[in-house]
Amino acid sequence: MAKVYVFDHPLIQHKLTYIRDKHTGTKEFRELVEEVATLMAFEITRDLPLEEVEIETPVSRAKAKVIAGKKLGVIPILRAGIGMVDGILKLIPAAKVGHVGLYRDPETLQPVEYYVKLPSDVEERDFIIVDPMLATGGSAVAAIEALKKRGAKSIKFMCLIAAPEGVKAVETAHPDVDIYIAALDERLNDHGYIVPGLGDAGDRLFGTK
Ligand code: PRP
Ligand code: URA
């Protein structure tokens, strides 16, 4: 069964409050989303394996630890997931970045796939799929499927705000995928928007409407 982690670190919660606030403009929204993505990346990489190396400090020889050459891939779901990528790359600069393009049909709320480009060595990489919003879960489930269909074996899903409906959909469809969120909200409204949520993540990030 998938594990669900809610990152309740005070810095994450503080910044998320300003991300939610409708008075926060595009520039600040973008900066905050990136910052929260960095903080979440710090938590999500907690289980990276380490290996021992020998180094020389100015004082003596020493055994010390480095990350054991894990191959990581970050996959934003277009569009809004793009806002989280640079924040993650600040901590994991060597990660490869793929893209999954999906939009939610406004009538049916079903995801429509329009673009997929992944790193070539899909089977060997650990992937983190990122998207600010997990609402009905349709986009997340489809993005995970798109990766699995191309051979991905190890996938985590990370988002800022989730609705219980979205968490359930991912858990049911992909019990092997752990979910990392900054806040679990109350519910979806009749238009499939998360309540209280933050509104339309893509529009707020890119200033479109
Ligand atoms: C938003 C969001 C997710 C999706 C979540 O994208 O960024 O991808 O909705 O909703 P779901 O869980 O019900 O599928 P949107 O479809 O608005 O596309 P955009 O990022 O291109 O604006
Ligand atoms: N997509 C968004 O951008 N916001 C929501 O609340 C739900 C889906």
Side-chain angles (χ1 to χ4, degrees):
M1 190 61 179
K3 292 196 198 73
V4 181
Y5 300 90
V6 182
F7 294 146
D8 56 359
H9 191 288
L11 282 174
I12 293 178
Q13 296 308 310
H14 175 86
K15 289 174 193 295
L16 193 58
T17 297
Y18 292 98
I19 289 173
R20 289 181 187 276
D21 190 331
K22 70 174 187 181
H23 301 295
T24 300
T26 303
K27 174 179 178 290
E28 206 186 342
F29 185 89
R30 224 178 259 152
E31 289 166 359
L32 286 163
V33 167
E34 189 177 318
E35 284 171 18
V36 170
T38 304
L39 294 169
M40 292 185 79
F42 180 75
E43 295 279 2
I44 206 173
T45 49
R46 199 173 272 285
D47 62 353
L48 282 181
L50 293 169
E51 64 186 8
E52 206 168 73
V53 293
E54 233 183 68
I55 55 163
E56 263 182 78
T57 77
V59 180
S60 72
R61 293 189 71 76
K63 289 191 192 329
K65 295 206 163 82
V66 293
I67 289 168
K70 216 46 179 152
K71 290 183 161 189
L72 295 176
V74 180
I75 311 291
I77 300 179
L78 308 180
R79 290 177 296 168
I82 289 176
M84 299 171 73
V85 173
D86 284 352
I88 297 170
L89 294 181
K90 280 206 171 107
L91 293 191
I92 322 171
K96 293 273 190 332
V97 180
H99 296 84
V100 174
L102 291 169
Y103 70 88
R104 203 169 69 147
D105 183 292
E107 302 298 325
T108 64
L109 300 183
Q110 291 306 304
V112 182
E113 183 182 300
Y114 59 88
Y115 186 77
V116 179
K117 182 80 181 171
L118 304 180
S120 53
D121 49 358
V122 176
E123 293 183 12
E124 296 157 39
R125 267 178 205 278
D126 290 345
F127 288 101
I128 307 172
I129 299 179
V130 297
D131 190 326
M133 310 305 276
L134 177 60
T136 64
S139 304
V141 167
I144 296 166
E145 261 160 32
L147 263 67
K148 284 187 175 173
K149 206 163 80 185
R150 289 162 179 84
K153 302 271 186 299
S154 163
I155 303 172
K156 293 174 175 175
F157 183 83
M158 174 171 135
C159 69
L160 301 188
I161 301 178
E165 294 89 333
V167 171
K168 186 139 190 270
V170 174
E171 279 179 330
T172 306
H174 300 292
D176 56 315
V177 175
D178 290 342
I179 303 168
Y180 300 80
I181 58 191
L184 182 60
D185 276 11
E186 286 162 28
R187 62 184 172 89
L188 296 177
N189 69 14
D190 293 343
H191 305 288
Y193 276 82
I194 299 177
V195 181
L198 55 72
D200 188 302
D203 283 345
R204 294 199 61 194
L205 196 59
F206 296 109
T208 48
K209 192 75 192 128

